[in-house]
Every structure is written in structure tokens, then in C-alpha cells.
Amino acid sequence: SLAAVLKRAGYRTAVAGKWQLCLMKNDTGQPARMGFDEWSVFGWHEGARFHEPMIYQNGRVRSDTRGKYGPDLYVEFLGDFMERSSKAKQPFFAYYSMALAHDVTDDLPTQVPYVPGKDRWMNYGEMIESMDLMTGKLVARIEELGLRDNTVIFFTGDNGTAVRSKLRHIAKRKYEHEKVYSLRNGQRVPGGKGSLLDIGTNVPLIANWPGKIKAGSQGDALVDFSDWLPTLAELGGAKLAGKTDGISFSRTLFQSPPGRTRSYAFSESRGGKAWVRTRQYKLYKDGRYFDLRADPMEKHPLKKTTGRAAEDRELLEAAFLKLKYPGKK
């Protein structure tokens, strides 16, 4: 895990927010075995995550969350962790796995609290506003501690925007929902979580490090989630024990002379559906092939390919074979 690798390199490690690798009631010490020195995470499928949350903190359930807002508590926990690490003159890895922006859990026998003073839960827009506020609080804390110039901050997501969001609970465990849209370049983009389209798999990757990463710079290199481990290991001066599927993208961050780069990315969904892609072209396991620049919603599979499209298809077909993934030729 990221935490275990960085811990071996001398970093103190902490996580706050979401933890979905186990039910904490069955294994309260699992985060420690995964490399985290400290943790403050909500009880997944056990209790609330936002208002008056159920939080396991370093192996014990917190008893002081009544009337409090979970994201505030997660941010306060990480802020305290960073302050103690700074005073001890130890480098740290603080992982804020945000519950925002995500629906309330709908499988609890007792429903989680509503938004105080309102007859519904937070809608998606309100959760995004809260997410921005919590991110800002963490950055401000780093600045207060005088660590801003020596800290790299990453922001990313684990899937596309939700298709719809719950607003309120109705009788007999039914729910009222609203569809979720984002605005991009003046156009409404529907949520696509769970889809293998870009609206479901293409997520933000924002990196900030004053004096090290040029402000406003952008890159178009392919990155997938397997690349996080070698990237953070390289930045933290850590050694990896063996071969990984990931490729460090640190050179892209610093606009250094290019080293090894990713030629294709891979994604898989339920039912064995999968694709491999270059920056422009995407090949599905079932043989469908798309030009994402001309057809981002993938409505018109390419029938004939020549030039660059043919070259990329040959590369992607070879990638499926390399992945030992059963697909049509």
C-alpha cells in the first residue's frame, strides 16, 4: 500500500474519512496493518458519515460526534496529525479519503440525520461546496504550520460524477432522487459513475507544490490509478519491493525531460467489460473501437481504420494480449 511504502521510507502516515477495505467492527486494527500509524474513518455500513457520524479513531468508536459534522472532524484530525508530525520534525503522508461527494448510505436500519434545519439530505451541489471548503481548510492548516513550500498536494477522484443523488427518504424505504449534471465549457454533462465512458472513468488529477510544479501548467499524458504507487514512492524517496503495473508520472508534474511514459491505460467494470485506450482511441474487449476526440460519448464505433487509428488499434490489441485478458481479436 502507499502508506506501507512511505512508512518504510520514514514517513508518519494517517488516513481520515472513507475506509472500505473491511467492516471496521470486525477488524478495528486493519488500517495499522495497511501501513497507517493513525486513522479516523467512518463506520462503513454501520452508521452515518456526514452529520453525527460514527467514527472509528485509532481502533475505538468516538463518543463525541453528536451535533457535529463528519468532514469537519476528519479535517481536524488530519490537521492535528500534521502539526504533531511537524513538531517532531518528521515527514508525513496525510491521506484525506473524502466521503464527499457521495450519497448517504441507504442500507442502515436507522436512517442517518438529515441536513440540520432542512427536510432532506445534502444535495450534490451542497456536497461539492462542502468538499471545496474542507480542501481549503486543509491547505490553510498546512500554510499555518509553515509547511506549504515543502508539501505536495494531490487531488483526485475514484470515479465519475454520480448519475443521481438521494434527496430524502420516503415511506417503505423508498427514496427521492435528483439527476446530477456538471457544467463544462458551458455545456451540461450528465453524471456517469459506473459507466466505462469518460464520464465514468476520467477523473480530476490536480497537483500543487509551490516552486516545484509550475502554476497553471497542464499535461496530457495518460495516467491510471496503478501509477500512484510508483509516483508517490519516487517523490518520497521510497523503494518498491518488486515490479508494479504502474508508471511514475513525476516527470510530467515537473515538466522534466520525458522518461518512460504510459502508452495505454486499462479499465474494467462489472460483468467482465473492459477497455484499453490511448489518448485518442479506445478499444473494448468486444471489439468496438472509438475515436474519443471526434466521438466522446462513443455513439459511432469505427468501422475502418487507417493511419494513426490503425496503428493505435494494433497497439491496443497487443495490450489486451499482454494483459492476458480474453477479448476478441
Side-chain angles (χ1 to χ4, degrees), residues 4-25:
V5 169
L6 291 172
K7 186 174 181 178
R8 287 199 301 267
Y11 285 74
R12 297 187 69 196
T13 58
V15 58
K18 181 184 292 188
W19 185 267
Q20 291 186 190
L21 300 181
C22 74
L23 291 176
M24 293 295 293
K25 63 181 179 181

Side-chain angles (χ1 to χ4, degrees), residues 181-242:
Y181 293 87
S182 300
L183 287 176
R184 185 174 65 202
N185 299 327
Q187 294 186 339
R188 284 181 18 141
V189 180
K193 179 180 177 180
S195 165
L196 282 176
L197 298 173
D198 269 5
I199 56 174
T201 59
N202 192 20
V203 298
L205 198 172
I206 301 171
N208 184 274
W209 194 357
K212 301 291 179 64
I213 298 175
K214 184 179 179 181
S217 59
Q218 297 183 15
D220 61 357
L222 283 174
V223 172
D224 73 23
F225 259 63
S226 66
D227 299 333
W228 282 105
L229 180 62
T231 300
L232 294 191
E234 183 176 355
L235 292 175
K239 292 183 179 181
L240 296 176

Side-chain angles (χ1 to χ4, degrees), residues 283 289 305 307-321:
L283 176 66
Y289 190 52
T305 57
R308 182 58 183 270
E311 292 176 7
D312 278 18
R313 177 157 192 155
E314 184 177 345
L315 167 74
L316 295 175
E317 288 175 345
F320 264 130
L321 293 176

Side-chain angles (χ1 to χ4, degrees), residues 35-279:
F36 287 101
D37 296 312
E38 301 182 31
W39 59 96
S40 183
V41 295
F42 64 78
W44 183 45
H45 294 301
E46 293 184 67
R49 63 184 70 185
F50 296 133
H51 300 285
E52 300 185 358
M54 178 185 183
I55 295 178
Y56 285 89
Q57 189 154 310
N58 297 334
R60 296 183 178 181
V61 177
R62 288 186 61 160
S63 60
D64 61 346
T65 65
R66 186 173 181 81
K68 296 181 181 179
Y69 180 50
D72 279 332
L73 300 178
Y74 309 137
V75 167
E76 290 170 5
F77 172 84
L78 287 179
D80 178 66
F81 165 77
M82 292 188 294
E83 181 176 5
R84 287 184 283 105
S85 299
S86 178
K87 288 181 178 178
K89 299 188 182 305
Q90 288 186 287
F92 59 81
F93 171 56
Y95 178 27
Y96 180 28
S97 54
M98 287 187 284
L100 297 161
H102 196 292
D103 270 340
V104 296
T105 301
D106 62 2
D107 60 352
L108 301 172
T110 302
Q111 292 300 312
V112 300
Y114 283 71
V115 178
K118 297 183 180 180
D119 68 342
R120 58 170 175 77
W121 292 301
M122 300 168 70
N123 64 32
Y124 197 82
E126 290 169 330
M127 287 190 284
I128 291 294
E129 290 179 353
S130 181
M131 179 188 71
D132 287 344
L133 178 61
M134 295 304 140
T135 303
K137 284 184 176 182
L138 274 180
V139 175
R141 192 77 179 100
I142 293 170
E143 290 176 343
E144 290 172 5
L145 295 172
L147 301 173
R148 191 67 190 85
D149 291 339
N150 198 34
T151 303
V152 58
I153 298 174
F154 289 105
F155 179 97
T156 191
D158 60 346
N159 49 246
T161 303
V163 176
R164 60 182 189 167
S165 184
K166 298 185 189 74
L167 284 182
R168 53 177 61 82
H169 178 238
I170 306 174
K172 298 182 180 179
R173 296 193 67 77
K174 295 182 179 179
Y175 298 88
E176 180 183 348
H177 297 82
E178 67 175 356
K179 290 185 177 180
V180 175
Y181 293 87
S182 300
L183 287 176
R184 185 174 65 202
N185 299 327
Q187 294 186 339
R188 284 181 18 141
V189 180
K193 179 180 177 180
S195 165
L196 282 176
L197 298 173
D198 269 5
I199 56 174
T201 59
N202 192 20
V203 298
L205 198 172
I206 301 171
N208 184 274
W209 194 357
K212 301 291 179 64
I213 298 175
K214 184 179 179 181
S217 59
Q218 297 183 15
D220 61 357
L222 283 174
V223 172
D224 73 23
F225 259 63
S226 66
D227 299 333
W228 282 105
L229 180 62
T231 300
L232 294 191
E234 183 176 355
L235 292 175
K239 292 183 179 181
L240 296 176
K243 184 179 179 181
T244 70
D245 293 322
I247 300 172
S248 172
F249 55 84
S250 66
R251 289 178 177 269
T252 299
L253 298 176
F254 304 122
Q255 297 182 318
S256 302
R260 184 186 174 207
T261 57
R262 175 172 291 283
S263 58
Y264 65 86
F266 167 79
S267 188
E268 183 180 17
S269 185
R270 292 186 180 96
K273 297 177 182 179
W275 54 247
V276 286
R277 64 165 294 177
T278 60
R279 286 197 293 265

